mmCIF file with all atom_site columns, all heavy atoms in Angstrom:
data_model
loop_
_atom_site.group_PDB
_atom_site.id
_atom_site.type_symbol
_atom_site.label_atom_id
_atom_site.label_alt_id
_atom_site.label_comp_id
_atom_site.label_asym_id
_atom_site.label_entity_id
_atom_site.label_seq_id
_atom_site.pdbx_PDB_ins_code
_atom_site.Cartn_x
_atom_site.Cartn_y
_atom_site.Cartn_z
_atom_site.occupancy
_atom_site.B_iso_or_equiv
_atom_site.pdbx_formal_charge
_atom_site.auth_seq_id
_atom_site.auth_comp_id
_atom_site.auth_asym_id
_atom_site.auth_atom_id
_atom_site.pdbx_PDB_model_num
ATOM 1   N N   . GLU A 1 34 ? -50.888 -24.201 -21.915 1.00 94.00 ? 34 GLU A N   1
ATOM 2   C CA  . GLU A 1 34 ? -50.530 -22.811 -21.427 1.00 94.00 ? 34 GLU A CA  1
ATOM 3   C C   . GLU A 1 34 ? -49.443 -22.863 -20.391 1.00 94.00 ? 34 GLU A C   1
ATOM 4   O O   . GLU A 1 34 ? -48.668 -21.972 -20.317 1.00 94.00 ? 34 GLU A O   1
ATOM 5   C CB  . GLU A 1 34 ? -51.893 -22.258 -20.769 1.00 94.00 ? 34 GLU A CB  1
ATOM 6   C CG  . GLU A 1 34 ? -52.992 -21.964 -21.820 1.00 94.00 ? 34 GLU A CG  1
ATOM 7   C CD  . GLU A 1 34 ? -52.611 -20.984 -22.896 1.00 94.00 ? 34 GLU A CD  1
ATOM 8   O OE1 . GLU A 1 34 ? -51.808 -20.017 -22.562 1.00 94.00 ? 34 GLU A OE1 1
ATOM 9   O OE2 . GLU A 1 34 ? -52.879 -21.193 -24.046 1.00 94.00 ? 34 GLU A OE2 1
ATOM 10  N N   . ALA A 1 35 ? -49.407 -23.935 -19.574 1.00 94.00 ? 35 ALA A N   1
ATOM 11  C CA  . ALA A 1 35 ? -48.387 -23.984 -18.576 1.00 94.00 ? 35 ALA A CA  1
ATOM 12  C C   . ALA A 1 35 ? -47.022 -24.191 -19.349 1.00 94.00 ? 35 ALA A C   1
ATOM 13  O O   . ALA A 1 35 ? -45.960 -23.557 -18.874 1.00 94.00 ? 35 ALA A O   1
ATOM 14  C CB  . ALA A 1 35 ? -48.549 -25.214 -17.718 1.00 94.00 ? 35 ALA A CB  1
ATOM 15  N N   . GLY A 1 36 ? -47.000 -24.877 -20.386 1.00 94.00 ? 36 GLY A N   1
ATOM 16  C CA  . GLY A 1 36 ? -45.806 -25.137 -21.183 1.00 94.00 ? 36 GLY A CA  1
ATOM 17  C C   . GLY A 1 36 ? -45.323 -23.788 -21.729 1.00 94.00 ? 36 GLY A C   1
ATOM 18  O O   . GLY A 1 36 ? -44.097 -23.470 -21.784 1.00 94.00 ? 36 GLY A O   1
ATOM 19  N N   . LYS A 1 37 ? -46.252 -22.997 -22.195 1.00 95.00 ? 37 LYS A N   1
ATOM 20  C CA  . LYS A 1 37 ? -45.916 -21.644 -22.785 1.00 95.00 ? 37 LYS A CA  1
ATOM 21  C C   . LYS A 1 37 ? -45.191 -20.788 -21.802 1.00 95.00 ? 37 LYS A C   1
ATOM 22  O O   . LYS A 1 37 ? -44.213 -20.009 -22.080 1.00 95.00 ? 37 LYS A O   1
ATOM 23  C CB  . LYS A 1 37 ? -47.149 -20.940 -23.319 1.00 95.00 ? 37 LYS A CB  1
ATOM 24  C CG  . LYS A 1 37 ? -47.696 -21.548 -24.557 1.00 95.00 ? 37 LYS A CG  1
ATOM 25  C CD  . LYS A 1 37 ? -48.897 -20.803 -25.033 1.00 95.00 ? 37 LYS A CD  1
ATOM 26  C CE  . LYS A 1 37 ? -49.550 -21.413 -26.252 1.00 95.00 ? 37 LYS A CE  1
ATOM 27  N NZ  . LYS A 1 37 ? -50.756 -20.701 -26.656 1.00 95.00 ? 37 LYS A NZ  1
ATOM 28  N N   . LYS A 1 38 ? -45.722 -20.900 -20.547 1.00 93.00 ? 38 LYS A N   1
ATOM 29  C CA  . LYS A 1 38 ? -45.089 -20.084 -19.439 1.00 93.00 ? 38 LYS A CA  1
ATOM 30  C C   . LYS A 1 38 ? -43.605 -20.408 -19.105 1.00 93.00 ? 38 LYS A C   1
ATOM 31  O O   . LYS A 1 38 ? -42.780 -19.610 -18.994 1.00 93.00 ? 38 LYS A O   1
ATOM 32  C CB  . LYS A 1 38 ? -45.999 -20.235 -18.143 1.00 93.00 ? 38 LYS A CB  1
ATOM 33  C CG  . LYS A 1 38 ? -47.301 -19.419 -18.251 1.00 93.00 ? 38 LYS A CG  1
ATOM 34  C CD  . LYS A 1 38 ? -48.121 -19.663 -17.004 1.00 93.00 ? 38 LYS A CD  1
ATOM 35  C CE  . LYS A 1 38 ? -49.456 -19.020 -17.104 1.00 93.00 ? 38 LYS A CE  1
ATOM 36  N NZ  . LYS A 1 38 ? -50.287 -19.216 -15.864 1.00 93.00 ? 38 LYS A NZ  1
ATOM 37  N N   . VAL A 1 39 ? -43.407 -21.858 -19.125 1.00 91.00 ? 39 VAL A N   1
ATOM 38  C CA  . VAL A 1 39 ? -41.947 -22.243 -18.825 1.00 91.00 ? 39 VAL A CA  1
ATOM 39  C C   . VAL A 1 39 ? -41.072 -21.861 -20.009 1.00 91.00 ? 39 VAL A C   1
ATOM 40  O O   . VAL A 1 39 ? -39.928 -21.441 -19.766 1.00 91.00 ? 39 VAL A O   1
ATOM 41  C CB  . VAL A 1 39 ? -42.014 -23.713 -18.609 1.00 91.00 ? 39 VAL A CB  1
ATOM 42  C CG1 . VAL A 1 39 ? -42.073 -24.532 -19.775 1.00 91.00 ? 39 VAL A CG1 1
ATOM 43  C CG2 . VAL A 1 39 ? -40.688 -24.118 -17.822 1.00 91.00 ? 39 VAL A CG2 1
ATOM 44  N N   . ILE A 1 40 ? -41.577 -21.927 -21.200 1.00 93.00 ? 40 ILE A N   1
ATOM 45  C CA  . ILE A 1 40 ? -40.697 -21.605 -22.335 1.00 93.00 ? 40 ILE A CA  1
ATOM 46  C C   . ILE A 1 40 ? -40.480 -20.054 -22.340 1.00 93.00 ? 40 ILE A C   1
ATOM 47  O O   . ILE A 1 40 ? -39.401 -19.578 -22.621 1.00 93.00 ? 40 ILE A O   1
ATOM 48  C CB  . ILE A 1 40 ? -41.386 -22.013 -23.655 1.00 93.00 ? 40 ILE A CB  1
ATOM 49  C CG1 . ILE A 1 40 ? -41.356 -23.516 -23.783 1.00 93.00 ? 40 ILE A CG1 1
ATOM 50  C CG2 . ILE A 1 40 ? -40.540 -21.422 -24.889 1.00 93.00 ? 40 ILE A CG2 1
ATOM 51  C CD1 . ILE A 1 40 ? -40.044 -24.180 -23.637 1.00 93.00 ? 40 ILE A CD1 1
ATOM 52  N N   . ASP A 1 41 ? -41.585 -19.320 -22.071 1.00 93.00 ? 41 ASP A N   1
ATOM 53  C CA  . ASP A 1 41 ? -41.341 -17.797 -21.856 1.00 93.00 ? 41 ASP A CA  1
ATOM 54  C C   . ASP A 1 41 ? -40.334 -17.432 -20.922 1.00 93.00 ? 41 ASP A C   1
ATOM 55  O O   . ASP A 1 41 ? -39.613 -16.465 -21.076 1.00 93.00 ? 41 ASP A O   1
ATOM 56  C CB  . ASP A 1 41 ? -42.740 -17.123 -21.521 1.00 93.00 ? 41 ASP A CB  1
ATOM 57  C CG  . ASP A 1 41 ? -43.571 -16.762 -22.722 1.00 93.00 ? 41 ASP A CG  1
ATOM 58  O OD1 . ASP A 1 41 ? -43.001 -16.409 -23.802 1.00 93.00 ? 41 ASP A OD1 1
ATOM 59  O OD2 . ASP A 1 41 ? -44.823 -16.773 -22.663 1.00 93.00 ? 41 ASP A OD2 1
ATOM 60  N N   . SER A 1 42 ? -40.243 -18.215 -19.837 1.00 90.00 ? 42 SER A N   1
ATOM 61  C CA  . SER A 1 42 ? -39.275 -17.848 -18.766 1.00 90.00 ? 42 SER A CA  1
ATOM 62  C C   . SER A 1 42 ? -37.867 -18.106 -19.205 1.00 90.00 ? 42 SER A C   1
ATOM 63  O O   . SER A 1 42 ? -36.970 -17.610 -18.568 1.00 90.00 ? 42 SER A O   1
ATOM 64  C CB  . SER A 1 42 ? -39.566 -18.740 -17.547 1.00 90.00 ? 42 SER A CB  1
ATOM 65  O OG  . SER A 1 42 ? -39.270 -20.093 -17.705 1.00 90.00 ? 42 SER A OG  1
ATOM 66  N N   . ILE A 1 43 ? -37.540 -18.931 -20.272 1.00 89.00 ? 43 ILE A N   1
ATOM 67  C CA  . ILE A 1 43 ? -36.266 -19.152 -20.695 1.00 89.00 ? 43 ILE A CA  1
ATOM 68  C C   . ILE A 1 43 ? -35.969 -18.802 -22.153 1.00 89.00 ? 43 ILE A C   1
ATOM 69  O O   . ILE A 1 43 ? -35.128 -19.246 -22.815 1.00 89.00 ? 43 ILE A O   1
ATOM 70  C CB  . ILE A 1 43 ? -35.827 -20.683 -20.467 1.00 89.00 ? 43 ILE A CB  1
ATOM 71  C CG1 . ILE A 1 43 ? -36.721 -21.626 -21.320 1.00 89.00 ? 43 ILE A CG1 1
ATOM 72  C CG2 . ILE A 1 43 ? -35.907 -21.059 -18.969 1.00 89.00 ? 43 ILE A CG2 1
ATOM 73  C CD1 . ILE A 1 43 ? -36.270 -23.014 -21.250 1.00 89.00 ? 43 ILE A CD1 1
ATOM 74  N N   . LYS A 1 44 ? -37.012 -18.021 -22.645 1.00 91.00 ? 44 LYS A N   1
ATOM 75  C CA  . LYS A 1 44 ? -36.937 -17.673 -24.132 1.00 91.00 ? 44 LYS A CA  1
ATOM 76  C C   . LYS A 1 44 ? -35.691 -16.990 -24.562 1.00 91.00 ? 44 LYS A C   1
ATOM 77  O O   . LYS A 1 44 ? -35.189 -17.172 -25.729 1.00 91.00 ? 44 LYS A O   1
ATOM 78  C CB  . LYS A 1 44 ? -38.127 -16.941 -24.597 1.00 91.00 ? 44 LYS A CB  1
ATOM 79  C CG  . LYS A 1 44 ? -38.286 -15.572 -23.919 1.00 91.00 ? 44 LYS A CG  1
ATOM 80  C CD  . LYS A 1 44 ? -39.651 -14.980 -24.448 1.00 91.00 ? 44 LYS A CD  1
ATOM 81  C CE  . LYS A 1 44 ? -39.791 -13.559 -23.846 1.00 91.00 ? 44 LYS A CE  1
ATOM 82  N NZ  . LYS A 1 44 ? -41.133 -12.945 -24.229 1.00 91.00 ? 44 LYS A NZ  1
ATOM 83  N N   . ALA A 1 45 ? -35.149 -16.265 -23.699 1.00 89.00 ? 45 ALA A N   1
ATOM 84  C CA  . ALA A 1 45 ? -33.864 -15.495 -23.940 1.00 89.00 ? 45 ALA A CA  1
ATOM 85  C C   . ALA A 1 45 ? -32.738 -16.548 -24.274 1.00 89.00 ? 45 ALA A C   1
ATOM 86  O O   . ALA A 1 45 ? -31.854 -16.295 -25.130 1.00 89.00 ? 45 ALA A O   1
ATOM 87  C CB  . ALA A 1 45 ? -33.448 -14.638 -22.776 1.00 89.00 ? 45 ALA A CB  1
ATOM 88  N N   . TYR A 1 46 ? -32.726 -17.654 -23.453 1.00 87.00 ? 46 TYR A N   1
ATOM 89  C CA  . TYR A 1 46 ? -31.742 -18.587 -23.720 1.00 87.00 ? 46 TYR A CA  1
ATOM 90  C C   . TYR A 1 46 ? -31.933 -19.400 -25.024 1.00 87.00 ? 46 TYR A C   1
ATOM 91  O O   . TYR A 1 46 ? -30.917 -19.880 -25.654 1.00 87.00 ? 46 TYR A O   1
ATOM 92  C CB  . TYR A 1 46 ? -31.747 -19.686 -22.515 1.00 87.00 ? 46 TYR A CB  1
ATOM 93  C CG  . TYR A 1 46 ? -31.257 -19.076 -21.210 1.00 87.00 ? 46 TYR A CG  1
ATOM 94  C CD1 . TYR A 1 46 ? -32.220 -18.543 -20.360 1.00 87.00 ? 46 TYR A CD1 1
ATOM 95  C CD2 . TYR A 1 46 ? -29.880 -19.102 -20.837 1.00 87.00 ? 46 TYR A CD2 1
ATOM 96  C CE1 . TYR A 1 46 ? -31.758 -18.047 -19.075 1.00 87.00 ? 46 TYR A CE1 1
ATOM 97  C CE2 . TYR A 1 46 ? -29.475 -18.627 -19.667 1.00 87.00 ? 46 TYR A CE2 1
ATOM 98  C CZ  . TYR A 1 46 ? -30.439 -18.043 -18.704 1.00 87.00 ? 46 TYR A CZ  1
ATOM 99  O OH  . TYR A 1 46 ? -29.985 -17.626 -17.526 1.00 87.00 ? 46 TYR A OH  1
ATOM 100 N N   . LEU A 1 47 ? -33.200 -19.548 -25.340 1.00 87.00 ? 47 LEU A N   1
ATOM 101 C CA  . LEU A 1 47 ? -33.601 -20.255 -26.576 1.00 87.00 ? 47 LEU A CA  1
ATOM 102 C C   . LEU A 1 47 ? -33.524 -19.348 -27.765 1.00 87.00 ? 47 LEU A C   1
ATOM 103 O O   . LEU A 1 47 ? -33.713 -19.850 -28.874 1.00 87.00 ? 47 LEU A O   1
ATOM 104 C CB  . LEU A 1 47 ? -35.050 -20.865 -26.428 1.00 87.00 ? 47 LEU A CB  1
ATOM 105 C CG  . LEU A 1 47 ? -35.211 -21.862 -25.297 1.00 87.00 ? 47 LEU A CG  1
ATOM 106 C CD1 . LEU A 1 47 ? -36.730 -22.104 -25.087 1.00 87.00 ? 47 LEU A CD1 1
ATOM 107 C CD2 . LEU A 1 47 ? -34.443 -23.113 -25.677 1.00 87.00 ? 47 LEU A CD2 1
ATOM 108 N N   . LYS A 1 48 ? -33.303 -18.057 -27.499 1.00 89.00 ? 48 LYS A N   1
ATOM 109 C CA  . LYS A 1 48 ? -33.193 -17.100 -28.608 1.00 89.00 ? 48 LYS A CA  1
ATOM 110 C C   . LYS A 1 48 ? -34.566 -17.021 -29.391 1.00 89.00 ? 48 LYS A C   1
ATOM 111 O O   . LYS A 1 48 ? -34.550 -17.040 -30.597 1.00 89.00 ? 48 LYS A O   1
ATOM 112 C CB  . LYS A 1 48 ? -32.006 -17.388 -29.587 1.00 89.00 ? 48 LYS A CB  1
ATOM 113 C CG  . LYS A 1 48 ? -30.694 -17.294 -28.865 1.00 89.00 ? 48 LYS A CG  1
ATOM 114 C CD  . LYS A 1 48 ? -29.572 -17.591 -29.840 1.00 89.00 ? 48 LYS A CD  1
ATOM 115 C CE  . LYS A 1 48 ? -28.216 -17.419 -29.078 1.00 89.00 ? 48 LYS A CE  1
ATOM 116 N NZ  . LYS A 1 48 ? -27.059 -17.721 -29.976 1.00 89.00 ? 48 LYS A NZ  1
ATOM 117 N N   . LEU A 1 49 ? -35.644 -16.957 -28.606 1.00 91.00 ? 49 LEU A N   1
ATOM 118 C CA  . LEU A 1 49 ? -36.920 -16.925 -29.155 1.00 91.00 ? 49 LEU A CA  1
ATOM 119 C C   . LEU A 1 49 ? -37.641 -15.613 -28.718 1.00 91.00 ? 49 LEU A C   1
ATOM 120 O O   . LEU A 1 49 ? -37.391 -15.106 -27.635 1.00 91.00 ? 49 LEU A O   1
ATOM 121 C CB  . LEU A 1 49 ? -37.889 -18.111 -28.763 1.00 91.00 ? 49 LEU A CB  1
ATOM 122 C CG  . LEU A 1 49 ? -37.363 -19.507 -29.003 1.00 91.00 ? 49 LEU A CG  1
ATOM 123 C CD1 . LEU A 1 49 ? -38.267 -20.532 -28.306 1.00 91.00 ? 49 LEU A CD1 1
ATOM 124 C CD2 . LEU A 1 49 ? -37.323 -19.775 -30.489 1.00 91.00 ? 49 LEU A CD2 1
ATOM 125 N N   . GLU A 1 50 ? -38.447 -15.081 -29.607 1.00 93.00 ? 50 GLU A N   1
ATOM 126 C CA  . GLU A 1 50 ? -39.184 -13.837 -29.247 1.00 93.00 ? 50 GLU A CA  1
ATOM 127 C C   . GLU A 1 50 ? -40.365 -14.139 -28.400 1.00 93.00 ? 50 GLU A C   1
ATOM 128 O O   . GLU A 1 50 ? -40.811 -13.408 -27.490 1.00 93.00 ? 50 GLU A O   1
ATOM 129 C CB  . GLU A 1 50 ? -39.569 -13.068 -30.455 1.00 93.00 ? 50 GLU A CB  1
ATOM 130 C CG  . GLU A 1 50 ? -38.333 -12.415 -31.215 1.00 93.00 ? 50 GLU A CG  1
ATOM 131 C CD  . GLU A 1 50 ? -38.839 -11.555 -32.339 1.00 93.00 ? 50 GLU A CD  1
ATOM 132 O OE1 . GLU A 1 50 ? -40.025 -11.307 -32.438 1.00 93.00 ? 50 GLU A OE1 1
ATOM 133 O OE2 . GLU A 1 50 ? -37.921 -11.059 -33.068 1.00 93.00 ? 50 GLU A OE2 1
ATOM 134 N N   . ARG A 1 51 ? -40.957 -15.312 -28.688 1.00 93.00 ? 51 ARG A N   1
ATOM 135 C CA  . ARG A 1 51 ? -42.147 -15.720 -27.921 1.00 93.00 ? 51 ARG A CA  1
ATOM 136 C C   . ARG A 1 51 ? -42.147 -17.283 -27.962 1.00 93.00 ? 51 ARG A C   1
ATOM 137 O O   . ARG A 1 51 ? -41.566 -17.922 -28.675 1.00 93.00 ? 51 ARG A O   1
ATOM 138 C CB  . ARG A 1 51 ? -43.431 -15.204 -28.495 1.00 93.00 ? 51 ARG A CB  1
ATOM 139 C CG  . ARG A 1 51 ? -43.609 -15.553 -29.970 1.00 93.00 ? 51 ARG A CG  1
ATOM 140 C CD  . ARG A 1 51 ? -44.656 -14.629 -30.654 1.00 93.00 ? 51 ARG A CD  1
ATOM 141 N NE  . ARG A 1 51 ? -44.879 -15.156 -32.045 1.00 93.00 ? 51 ARG A NE  1
ATOM 142 C CZ  . ARG A 1 51 ? -45.979 -15.808 -32.431 1.00 93.00 ? 51 ARG A CZ  1
ATOM 143 N NH1 . ARG A 1 51 ? -46.970 -15.887 -31.604 1.00 93.00 ? 51 ARG A NH1 1
ATOM 144 N NH2 . ARG A 1 51 ? -46.094 -16.141 -33.685 1.00 93.00 ? 51 ARG A NH2 1
ATOM 145 N N   . ALA A 1 52 ? -42.905 -17.783 -26.914 1.00 94.00 ? 52 ALA A N   1
ATOM 146 C CA  . ALA A 1 52 ? -42.919 -19.247 -26.724 1.00 94.00 ? 52 ALA A CA  1
ATOM 147 C C   . ALA A 1 52 ? -43.457 -19.956 -27.950 1.00 94.00 ? 52 ALA A C   1
ATOM 148 O O   . ALA A 1 52 ? -42.918 -21.016 -28.385 1.00 94.00 ? 52 ALA A O   1
ATOM 149 C CB  . ALA A 1 52 ? -43.794 -19.621 -25.539 1.00 94.00 ? 52 ALA A CB  1
ATOM 150 N N   . GLU A 1 53 ? -44.416 -19.444 -28.690 1.00 93.00 ? 53 GLU A N   1
ATOM 151 C CA  . GLU A 1 53 ? -45.048 -20.064 -29.886 1.00 93.00 ? 53 GLU A CA  1
ATOM 152 C C   . GLU A 1 53 ? -44.022 -20.340 -30.994 1.00 93.00 ? 53 GLU A C   1
ATOM 153 O O   . GLU A 1 53 ? -44.258 -21.170 -31.779 1.00 93.00 ? 53 GLU A O   1
ATOM 154 C CB  . GLU A 1 53 ? -46.221 -19.116 -30.374 1.00 93.00 ? 53 GLU A CB  1
ATOM 155 C CG  . GLU A 1 53 ? -47.510 -19.183 -29.550 1.00 93.00 ? 53 GLU A CG  1
ATOM 156 C CD  . GLU A 1 53 ? -47.273 -18.272 -28.409 1.00 93.00 ? 53 GLU A CD  1
ATOM 157 O OE1 . GLU A 1 53 ? -46.292 -17.622 -28.219 1.00 93.00 ? 53 GLU A OE1 1
ATOM 158 O OE2 . GLU A 1 53 ? -48.351 -18.187 -27.573 1.00 93.00 ? 53 GLU A OE2 1
ATOM 159 N N   . ASP A 1 54 ? -42.938 -19.506 -30.988 1.00 93.00 ? 54 ASP A N   1
ATOM 160 C CA  . ASP A 1 54 ? -41.885 -19.725 -32.024 1.00 93.00 ? 54 ASP A CA  1
ATOM 161 C C   . ASP A 1 54 ? -41.192 -21.134 -31.863 1.00 93.00 ? 54 ASP A C   1
ATOM 162 O O   . ASP A 1 54 ? -40.488 -21.540 -32.825 1.00 93.00 ? 54 ASP A O   1
ATOM 163 C CB  . ASP A 1 54 ? -40.918 -18.615 -31.886 1.00 93.00 ? 54 ASP A CB  1
ATOM 164 C CG  . ASP A 1 54 ? -41.462 -17.234 -32.284 1.00 93.00 ? 54 ASP A CG  1
ATOM 165 O OD1 . ASP A 1 54 ? -42.432 -17.256 -33.012 1.00 93.00 ? 54 ASP A OD1 1
ATOM 166 O OD2 . ASP A 1 54 ? -40.895 -16.178 -31.891 1.00 93.00 ? 54 ASP A OD2 1
ATOM 167 N N   . LEU A 1 55 ? -41.449 -21.876 -30.733 1.00 93.00 ? 55 LEU A N   1
ATOM 168 C CA  . LEU A 1 55 ? -40.858 -23.137 -30.619 1.00 93.00 ? 55 LEU A CA  1
ATOM 169 C C   . LEU A 1 55 ? -41.532 -24.210 -31.466 1.00 93.00 ? 55 LEU A C   1
ATOM 170 O O   . LEU A 1 55 ? -41.052 -25.273 -31.771 1.00 93.00 ? 55 LEU A O   1
ATOM 171 C CB  . LEU A 1 55 ? -40.884 -23.560 -29.090 1.00 93.00 ? 55 LEU A CB  1
ATOM 172 C CG  . LEU A 1 55 ? -40.193 -24.832 -28.689 1.00 93.00 ? 55 LEU A CG  1
ATOM 173 C CD1 . LEU A 1 55 ? -38.679 -24.686 -28.866 1.00 93.00 ? 55 LEU A CD1 1
ATOM 174 C CD2 . LEU A 1 55 ? -40.510 -25.116 -27.216 1.00 93.00 ? 55 LEU A CD2 1
ATOM 175 N N   . ILE A 1 56 ? -42.754 -23.840 -31.803 1.00 93.00 ? 56 ILE A N   1
ATOM 176 C CA  . ILE A 1 56 ? -43.640 -24.807 -32.655 1.00 93.00 ? 56 ILE A CA  1
ATOM 177 C C   . ILE A 1 56 ? -42.883 -25.166 -33.882 1.00 93.00 ? 56 ILE A C   1
ATOM 178 O O   . ILE A 1 56 ? -42.384 -24.201 -34.635 1.00 93.00 ? 56 ILE A O   1
ATOM 179 C CB  . ILE A 1 56 ? -44.977 -24.337 -32.909 1.00 93.00 ? 56 ILE A CB  1
ATOM 180 C CG1 . ILE A 1 56 ? -45.760 -23.963 -31.622 1.00 93.00 ? 56 ILE A CG1 1
ATOM 181 C CG2 . ILE A 1 56 ? -45.748 -25.245 -33.732 1.00 93.00 ? 56 ILE A CG2 1
ATOM 182 C CD1 . ILE A 1 56 ? -45.886 -25.195 -30.672 1.00 93.00 ? 56 ILE A CD1 1
#
Side-chain angles (χ1 to χ4, degrees):
E34 293 302 319
K37 288 179 183 178
K38 289 179 182 179
V39 76
I40 295 301
D41 269 328
S42 69
I43 63 171
K44 63 183 180 182
Y46 293 91
L47 297 170
K48 297 181 180 179
L49 301 174
E50 291 187 8
R51 57 197 186 110
E53 287 81 357
D54 294 336
L55 188 66
I56 303 299

